[in-house]
Amino acid sequence: MTATDPTLTALAQGWCALSLLHGKIESRIERSLQAGHGLSAREYSLLDVLSRQHSGPGGHLQMKQVADAVVLSQSATTRLVTRLEDRGLLTRYLCDTDRRGIYTDVTEAGLTLLAEARPTNDSALRAALDEASDNPELAPLVRAVEELKVAV
């Protein structure tokens, strides 16, 4: 294959379209969450991921798992967790069975804010997808996202 191979060009164009759709969605959600709840999209995502981790209130993950879940480096994740901890939305604690393990858990305040922010997130997502579906290059990707059946 060469750099001008039509297969590579199609892949690159597909990736550009996917990246554009992601950027449009993330930008719309970011603006809406910041304006309505003082949360960034990553902060919302972290609260959401943690809230689904076990059947009791809140949720917990080891810091490496947190970094993987929000797609950040460990140092950026630490800063993110610290910001949310300073706001009383998360707590960190040592693992009972392995003192090297540090867990992150959602507080009641974090769960409350998440519940308040969820309709804003969902509405912004819907609006971004509706807008993107008007673009012929993005419409197939929007349909693919809408048809995904992902277990939560």
Side-chain angles (χ1 to χ4, degrees):
M1 287 190 194
T2 65
T4 57
D5 186 303
T7 304
L8 291 177
T9 301
L11 282 174
Q13 289 172 339
W15 170 243
C16 286
L18 182 59
S19 181
L20 178 61
L21 178 61
H22 178 268
K24 287 181 174 293
I25 291 170
E26 190 168 49
S27 176
R28 173 73 64 104
I29 289 173
E30 183 78 28
R31 285 191 313 270
S32 297
L33 288 173
Q34 280 290 349
H37 308 281
L39 280 175
S40 71
R42 291 236 195 243
E43 290 168 340
Y44 174 88
S45 177
L46 177 56
L47 291 172
D48 184 53
V49 166
L50 288 171
S51 75
R52 301 171 192 269
Q53 293 310 303
H54 58 72
S55 60
H60 65 268
L61 290 174
Q62 289 182 346
M63 288 299 286
K64 178 171 181 350
Q65 294 170 304
V66 172
D68 291 344
V70 293
V71 193
L72 289 173
S73 68
Q74 291 219 348
S75 61
T77 300
T78 298
R79 290 189 300 274
L80 175 64
V81 168
T82 298
R83 276 197 316 270
L84 293 176
E85 188 177 36
D86 289 347
R87 291 175 60 188
L89 304 174
L90 299 179
T91 59
R92 281 185 270 200
Y93 59 93
L94 293 175
C95 175
D96 290 339
T97 58
D98 179 1
R99 290 301 203 182
R100 295 171 295 171
I102 297 174
Y103 285 100
T104 304
D105 197 2
V106 182
T107 64
E108 284 301 318
L111 291 172
T112 299
L113 181 57
L114 177 64
E116 292 168 357
R118 191 174 306 282
T120 301
N121 180 80
D122 294 349
S123 176
L125 173 59
R126 181 74 265 159
L129 288 172
D130 288 347
E131 182 180 306
S133 69
D134 292 336
N135 180 329
E137 292 177 4
L138 300 180
L141 293 172
V142 171
R143 284 192 300 277
V145 168
E146 291 171 338
E147 293 171 2
L148 282 175
K149 304 291 186 226
V150 179
V152 181

